[in-house]
Short mmCIF file of all heavy atoms in Angstrom, two decimals:
data_model
loop_
_atom_site.label_atom_id
_atom_site.label_comp_id
_atom_site.label_asym_id
_atom_site.label_seq_id
_atom_site.Cartn_x
_atom_site.Cartn_y
_atom_site.Cartn_z
N ALA A 16 -27.66 -111.80 8.14
CA ALA A 16 -27.76 -110.55 7.38
C ALA A 16 -26.82 -110.57 6.18
O ALA A 16 -27.19 -110.15 5.08
CB ALA A 16 -27.44 -109.36 8.28
N ALA A 17 -25.62 -111.09 6.38
CA ALA A 17 -24.66 -111.19 5.28
C ALA A 17 -25.17 -112.12 4.20
O ALA A 17 -25.00 -111.86 3.00
CB ALA A 17 -23.31 -111.66 5.80
N LEU A 18 -25.83 -113.20 4.60
CA LEU A 18 -26.42 -114.13 3.64
C LEU A 18 -27.50 -113.45 2.81
O LEU A 18 -27.54 -113.59 1.58
CB LEU A 18 -26.99 -115.35 4.36
CG LEU A 18 -27.76 -116.34 3.48
CD1 LEU A 18 -26.84 -116.96 2.43
CD2 LEU A 18 -28.40 -117.42 4.35
N LYS A 19 -28.36 -112.68 3.47
CA LYS A 19 -29.42 -111.97 2.74
C LYS A 19 -28.83 -110.97 1.76
O LYS A 19 -29.31 -110.84 0.63
CB LYS A 19 -30.36 -111.28 3.73
CG LYS A 19 -31.25 -112.26 4.47
CD LYS A 19 -32.17 -111.55 5.45
CE LYS A 19 -32.98 -112.57 6.22
NZ LYS A 19 -33.86 -111.95 7.21
N VAL A 20 -27.79 -110.26 2.17
CA VAL A 20 -27.14 -109.29 1.28
C VAL A 20 -26.54 -110.03 0.08
O VAL A 20 -26.67 -109.59 -1.06
CB VAL A 20 -26.06 -108.48 2.03
CG1 VAL A 20 -25.18 -107.69 1.08
CG2 VAL A 20 -26.70 -107.56 3.05
N ALA A 21 -25.90 -111.15 0.34
CA ALA A 21 -25.29 -111.94 -0.74
C ALA A 21 -26.36 -112.45 -1.71
O ALA A 21 -26.17 -112.42 -2.93
CB ALA A 21 -24.49 -113.09 -0.17
N GLN A 22 -27.48 -112.89 -1.17
CA GLN A 22 -28.57 -113.38 -2.03
C GLN A 22 -29.13 -112.25 -2.90
O GLN A 22 -29.42 -112.44 -4.07
CB GLN A 22 -29.67 -114.01 -1.18
CG GLN A 22 -29.27 -115.34 -0.59
CD GLN A 22 -30.26 -115.86 0.44
OE1 GLN A 22 -30.97 -115.10 1.10
NE2 GLN A 22 -30.31 -117.18 0.59
N ARG A 23 -29.27 -111.05 -2.32
CA ARG A 23 -29.74 -109.90 -3.10
C ARG A 23 -28.72 -109.52 -4.17
O ARG A 23 -29.09 -109.18 -5.29
CB ARG A 23 -30.02 -108.71 -2.18
CG ARG A 23 -31.39 -108.80 -1.55
CD ARG A 23 -31.73 -107.53 -0.77
NE ARG A 23 -31.97 -107.98 0.59
CZ ARG A 23 -31.45 -107.48 1.68
NH1 ARG A 23 -30.67 -106.44 1.62
NH2 ARG A 23 -31.72 -107.99 2.86
N THR A 24 -27.46 -109.59 -3.82
CA THR A 24 -26.41 -109.28 -4.79
C THR A 24 -26.44 -110.26 -5.96
O THR A 24 -26.31 -109.86 -7.12
CB THR A 24 -25.02 -109.29 -4.11
OG1 THR A 24 -25.02 -108.34 -3.04
CG2 THR A 24 -23.92 -108.95 -5.09
N ILE A 25 -26.63 -111.52 -5.67
CA ILE A 25 -26.74 -112.54 -6.72
C ILE A 25 -27.93 -112.24 -7.61
O ILE A 25 -27.84 -112.31 -8.84
CB ILE A 25 -26.83 -113.95 -6.11
CG1 ILE A 25 -25.49 -114.34 -5.50
CG2 ILE A 25 -27.26 -114.97 -7.16
CD1 ILE A 25 -25.53 -115.60 -4.66
N ALA A 26 -29.05 -111.89 -7.02
CA ALA A 26 -30.24 -111.56 -7.80
C ALA A 26 -29.99 -110.34 -8.69
O ALA A 26 -30.41 -110.31 -9.85
CB ALA A 26 -31.43 -111.31 -6.88
N GLU A 27 -29.29 -109.34 -8.17
CA GLU A 27 -28.98 -108.15 -8.96
C GLU A 27 -28.05 -108.49 -10.12
O GLU A 27 -28.25 -108.01 -11.24
CB GLU A 27 -28.32 -107.08 -8.07
CG GLU A 27 -29.27 -106.43 -7.09
CD GLU A 27 -28.55 -105.51 -6.10
OE1 GLU A 27 -27.36 -105.21 -6.31
OE2 GLU A 27 -29.18 -105.11 -5.12
N VAL A 28 -27.06 -109.32 -9.87
CA VAL A 28 -26.14 -109.72 -10.94
C VAL A 28 -26.88 -110.52 -12.00
O VAL A 28 -26.67 -110.32 -13.20
CB VAL A 28 -24.95 -110.53 -10.36
CG1 VAL A 28 -24.13 -111.18 -11.46
CG2 VAL A 28 -24.07 -109.62 -9.50
N ASP A 29 -27.75 -111.41 -11.57
CA ASP A 29 -28.56 -112.18 -12.52
C ASP A 29 -29.41 -111.25 -13.39
O ASP A 29 -29.51 -111.44 -14.61
CB ASP A 29 -29.45 -113.19 -11.80
CG ASP A 29 -28.67 -114.38 -11.24
OD1 ASP A 29 -27.52 -114.59 -11.66
OD2 ASP A 29 -29.23 -115.09 -10.38
N ALA A 30 -30.00 -110.26 -12.77
CA ALA A 30 -30.82 -109.29 -13.52
C ALA A 30 -29.96 -108.51 -14.51
O ALA A 30 -30.38 -108.27 -15.65
CB ALA A 30 -31.52 -108.34 -12.56
N ARG A 31 -28.76 -108.12 -14.08
CA ARG A 31 -27.87 -107.39 -15.00
C ARG A 31 -27.44 -108.28 -16.16
O ARG A 31 -27.27 -107.79 -17.29
CB ARG A 31 -26.64 -106.88 -14.24
CG ARG A 31 -26.95 -105.59 -13.51
CD ARG A 31 -25.68 -104.97 -12.96
NE ARG A 31 -25.86 -104.93 -11.51
CZ ARG A 31 -24.96 -105.23 -10.60
NH1 ARG A 31 -23.76 -105.58 -10.97
NH2 ARG A 31 -25.23 -105.18 -9.32
N MET A 32 -27.26 -109.57 -15.90
CA MET A 32 -26.89 -110.49 -16.98
C MET A 32 -28.02 -110.62 -18.00
O MET A 32 -27.78 -110.65 -19.20
CB MET A 32 -26.51 -111.85 -16.41
CG MET A 32 -25.17 -111.82 -15.69
SD MET A 32 -24.71 -113.42 -14.99
CE MET A 32 -24.40 -114.36 -16.47
N VAL A 33 -29.24 -110.69 -17.52
CA VAL A 33 -30.39 -110.75 -18.43
C VAL A 33 -30.44 -109.48 -19.27
O VAL A 33 -30.64 -109.53 -20.50
CB VAL A 33 -31.71 -110.96 -17.64
CG1 VAL A 33 -32.92 -110.75 -18.52
CG2 VAL A 33 -31.73 -112.34 -17.01
N THR A 34 -30.23 -108.34 -18.63
CA THR A 34 -30.23 -107.07 -19.35
C THR A 34 -29.11 -107.03 -20.38
O THR A 34 -29.31 -106.60 -21.52
CB THR A 34 -30.08 -105.89 -18.36
OG1 THR A 34 -31.17 -105.93 -17.44
CG2 THR A 34 -30.06 -104.56 -19.06
N ALA A 35 -27.94 -107.49 -20.01
CA ALA A 35 -26.80 -107.49 -20.92
C ALA A 35 -27.06 -108.40 -22.12
O ALA A 35 -26.73 -108.05 -23.26
CB ALA A 35 -25.53 -107.93 -20.20
N ARG A 36 -27.68 -109.53 -21.88
CA ARG A 36 -28.02 -110.44 -23.00
C ARG A 36 -29.02 -109.78 -23.93
O ARG A 36 -28.94 -109.93 -25.16
CB ARG A 36 -28.56 -111.76 -22.46
CG ARG A 36 -27.48 -112.65 -21.89
CD ARG A 36 -28.02 -114.05 -21.54
NE ARG A 36 -26.99 -114.83 -20.88
CZ ARG A 36 -26.98 -115.12 -19.58
NH1 ARG A 36 -27.96 -114.71 -18.80
NH2 ARG A 36 -26.00 -115.82 -19.07
N ALA A 37 -29.97 -109.06 -23.37
CA ALA A 37 -30.95 -108.34 -24.19
C ALA A 37 -30.26 -107.24 -25.00
O ALA A 37 -30.59 -107.03 -26.17
CB ALA A 37 -32.05 -107.75 -23.32
N GLU A 38 -29.30 -106.56 -24.37
CA GLU A 38 -28.55 -105.52 -25.08
C GLU A 38 -27.74 -106.12 -26.23
O GLU A 38 -27.65 -105.53 -27.30
CB GLU A 38 -27.63 -104.77 -24.12
CG GLU A 38 -28.36 -103.88 -23.14
CD GLU A 38 -27.46 -103.28 -22.08
OE1 GLU A 38 -26.23 -103.56 -22.08
OE2 GLU A 38 -27.97 -102.54 -21.23
N ILE A 39 -27.17 -107.29 -26.01
CA ILE A 39 -26.41 -107.96 -27.07
C ILE A 39 -27.34 -108.33 -28.22
O ILE A 39 -27.00 -108.14 -29.39
CB ILE A 39 -25.69 -109.21 -26.53
CG1 ILE A 39 -24.55 -108.78 -25.60
CG2 ILE A 39 -25.15 -110.08 -27.66
CD1 ILE A 39 -23.91 -109.92 -24.83
N ALA A 40 -28.51 -108.85 -27.90
CA ALA A 40 -29.47 -109.21 -28.95
C ALA A 40 -29.90 -107.98 -29.74
O ALA A 40 -29.98 -108.01 -30.98
CB ALA A 40 -30.68 -109.90 -28.33
N ALA A 41 -30.15 -106.88 -29.04
CA ALA A 41 -30.53 -105.64 -29.73
C ALA A 41 -29.38 -105.13 -30.58
O ALA A 41 -29.59 -104.70 -31.73
CB ALA A 41 -30.95 -104.58 -28.71
N ALA A 42 -28.18 -105.20 -30.06
CA ALA A 42 -27.01 -104.74 -30.81
C ALA A 42 -26.77 -105.63 -32.04
O ALA A 42 -26.41 -105.13 -33.11
CB ALA A 42 -25.77 -104.73 -29.92
N ALA A 43 -27.01 -106.91 -31.89
CA ALA A 43 -26.87 -107.82 -33.04
C ALA A 43 -27.87 -107.46 -34.13
O ALA A 43 -27.54 -107.49 -35.32
CB ALA A 43 -27.05 -109.27 -32.59
N GLY A 44 -29.07 -107.10 -33.73
CA GLY A 44 -30.08 -106.65 -34.70
C GLY A 44 -29.65 -105.37 -35.40
O GLY A 44 -29.84 -105.22 -36.61
N GLN A 45 -29.06 -104.45 -34.65
CA GLN A 45 -28.58 -103.20 -35.24
C GLN A 45 -27.44 -103.47 -36.21
O GLN A 45 -27.36 -102.84 -37.27
CB GLN A 45 -28.14 -102.24 -34.14
CG GLN A 45 -29.29 -101.69 -33.33
CD GLN A 45 -28.83 -100.89 -32.12
OE1 GLN A 45 -27.68 -101.00 -31.69
NE2 GLN A 45 -29.73 -100.09 -31.58
N VAL A 46 -26.57 -104.41 -35.86
CA VAL A 46 -25.48 -104.76 -36.76
C VAL A 46 -26.04 -105.33 -38.05
O VAL A 46 -25.62 -104.96 -39.16
CB VAL A 46 -24.50 -105.77 -36.10
CG1 VAL A 46 -23.55 -106.38 -37.13
CG2 VAL A 46 -23.73 -105.11 -34.98
N GLN A 47 -27.00 -106.23 -37.94
CA GLN A 47 -27.61 -106.85 -39.12
C GLN A 47 -28.28 -105.79 -40.00
O GLN A 47 -28.13 -105.81 -41.22
CB GLN A 47 -28.62 -107.92 -38.69
CG GLN A 47 -29.10 -108.79 -39.82
CD GLN A 47 -27.98 -109.64 -40.42
OE1 GLN A 47 -27.00 -109.94 -39.77
NE2 GLN A 47 -28.11 -110.01 -41.67
N GLU A 48 -28.99 -104.87 -39.37
CA GLU A 48 -29.67 -103.81 -40.12
C GLU A 48 -28.65 -102.90 -40.80
O GLU A 48 -28.80 -102.55 -41.98
CB GLU A 48 -30.54 -102.99 -39.16
CG GLU A 48 -31.31 -101.89 -39.82
CD GLU A 48 -32.16 -101.11 -38.84
OE1 GLU A 48 -32.35 -101.55 -37.70
OE2 GLU A 48 -32.65 -100.03 -39.23
#
């Protein structure tokens, strides 16, 4: 059960990292504009 929770946590962190990278790209576009 702890392993499954850890795997879900890793997946959530990975998803947040993808979102953060997208936010950085959007912010970079706003800076350029």
Side-chain angles (χ1 to χ4, degrees):
L18 174 63
K19 287 180 183 178
V20 168
Q22 288 171 332
R23 277 187 239 131
T24 302
I25 290 170
E27 289 172 12
V28 169
D29 287 344
R31 278 189 241 138
M32 289 180 69
V33 168
T34 300
R36 285 188 185 106
E38 289 173 0
I39 290 171
Q45 290 172 342
V46 167
Q47 191 65 25
E48 182 180 347

